[in-house]
Amino acid sequence: MLAKRIIPCLDVKDGKTVKGTKFVDFKEAGDPVLLGEIYSKEGADELVYLDITASSEGRSTFTDLVKRVASRIDIPFTVGGGINSLQDIDRLLNVGADKVSLNSSALKNPKIIDDVAKKFGSQVCVIAIDANFENGNWVCYLNGGKVATQRTLFEWALEAAERGAGEILFTSMTHDGTRSGYAHEALLELHRLLPIPIIASGGAGTKAHFKDAFLRGKADAALAAGVFHFGEITISELKKYLSESGIPVRR
């Protein structure tokens, strides 16, 4: 089994890290650059920075913040939010981002996945999927969980992988911020369907939830926000717990 990755996620709104529940009711959680530096030193494997209102407000992603993060941390990080063109991606990679996360722009124009993979390589292209479980289906949403689409999780994830995505970041809107655990059954189905890594997101509340994401959901990485931002779980103690549970992690 390959080493599993622990990825803190920093949702950024108006220059501050925030954390919501089911994509609403946001609370401030601190300075995104300082938090990133702390997580890097604690042993995080990667970071994800998402400008959560960029798509709905039609803005470009926060280049200056990306530049400051790159100057302070020494682990890979992914940036998402408001990325609509190869020029956007080129700009973000040039100031230090390692990967980009595409969500709304890819749903609206799936061909961008082919273009990104061809120009920059699949390893740069993370397709983020925000999906809510409704009437027996996982419905994909645009614009930070605000607009429902006709696409469903599994068929969209499969298309994204076929077009050249390097990873799928699946956030369960149903579980987001609830601290009730990840969407194990959906994660397991993604693992079964796709030849690329799956990042679990939405629902982490305890160290056991991470273990379940890896053992029950077969996720390759687990992303979380609130439990890290508010000091409920430290990355070092989480990795120690996972290692003692027989799950390989980078120490």
Side-chain angles (χ1 to χ4, degrees):
M1 189 189 296
L2 293 174
K4 302 298 187 178
R5 291 172 286 151
I6 301 299
I7 307 176
C9 180
L10 298 96
D11 291 341
V12 179
K13 182 180 182 184
D14 302 324
K16 300 286 187 181
T17 308
V18 297
K19 181 68 189 93
T21 300
K22 298 188 177 183
F23 288 43
V24 294
D25 300 327
F26 293 104
K27 298 178 182 177
E28 282 195 15
D31 176 78
V33 179
L34 179 60
L35 281 173
E37 191 172 19
I38 291 169
Y39 295 146
S40 177
K41 291 176 179 175
E42 279 189 355
D45 297 296
E46 299 178 22
L47 299 174
V48 170
Y49 283 89
L50 299 176
D51 189 347
I52 61 172
T53 58
S55 291
S56 61
E57 295 177 4
R59 293 183 289 105
S60 293
T61 307
F62 36 5
T63 308
D64 288 342
L65 176 63
V66 174
K67 193 180 299 184
R68 287 191 289 130
V69 170
S71 71
R72 298 278 289 274
I73 70 170
D74 56 6
I75 58 174
F77 70 101
T78 300
V79 175
I83 299 173
N84 297 301
S85 69
L86 297 183
Q87 290 77 15
D88 288 337
I89 296 168
D90 197 46
R91 170 171 48 84
L92 292 164
L93 296 178
N94 280 335
V95 295
D98 297 278
K99 307 177 192 177
V100 294
S101 169
L102 304 177
N103 189 333
S104 299
S105 60
L107 276 165
K108 292 174 183 176
N109 173 29
K111 186 178 179 295
I112 195 173
I113 303 172
D114 306 71
D115 296 340
V116 173
K118 183 177 179 181
K119 180 166 184 178
F120 302 105
S122 291
Q123 77 283 354
V124 164
C125 185
V126 179
I127 295 301
I129 303 177
D130 300 331
N132 195 45
F133 194 66
E134 303 169 8
N135 301 316
N137 280 313
W138 285 97
V139 178
C140 299
Y141 274 71
L142 293 167
N143 294 2
K146 293 181 175 64
V147 181
T149 72
Q150 298 299 310
R151 304 301 302 261
T152 56
L153 171 63
F154 302 120
E155 51 91 10
W156 171 230
L158 189 57
E159 179 180 340
E162 289 172 346
R163 285 182 176 273
E167 294 181 280
I168 298 294
L169 167 53
F170 162 52
T171 298
S172 167
M173 295 172 61
T174 310
H175 294 75
D176 181 67
T178 64
R179 312 293 178 92
S180 60
Y182 294 93
H184 307 120
E185 291 182 6
L187 288 167
L188 185 59
E189 182 65 7
L190 287 170
H191 169 78
R192 187 185 71 79
L193 284 172
L194 305 182
I196 59 175
I198 309 299
I199 304 169
S201 172
T206 68
K207 289 179 283 189
H209 290 157
F210 290 85
K211 179 174 76 170
D212 287 344
F214 296 134
L215 295 182
R216 294 173 59 188
K218 304 294 184 185
D220 299 277
L223 178 148
V227 291
F228 297 140
H229 299 339
F230 302 119
E232 295 161 43
I233 298 174
T234 68
I235 293 165
S236 56
E237 71 182 23
L238 173 59
K239 286 195 162 185
K240 182 173 185 290
Y241 167 82
L242 292 171
S243 181
E244 290 173 349
S245 300
I247 296 169
V249 291
R250 300 184 183 102
R251 298 299 293 272

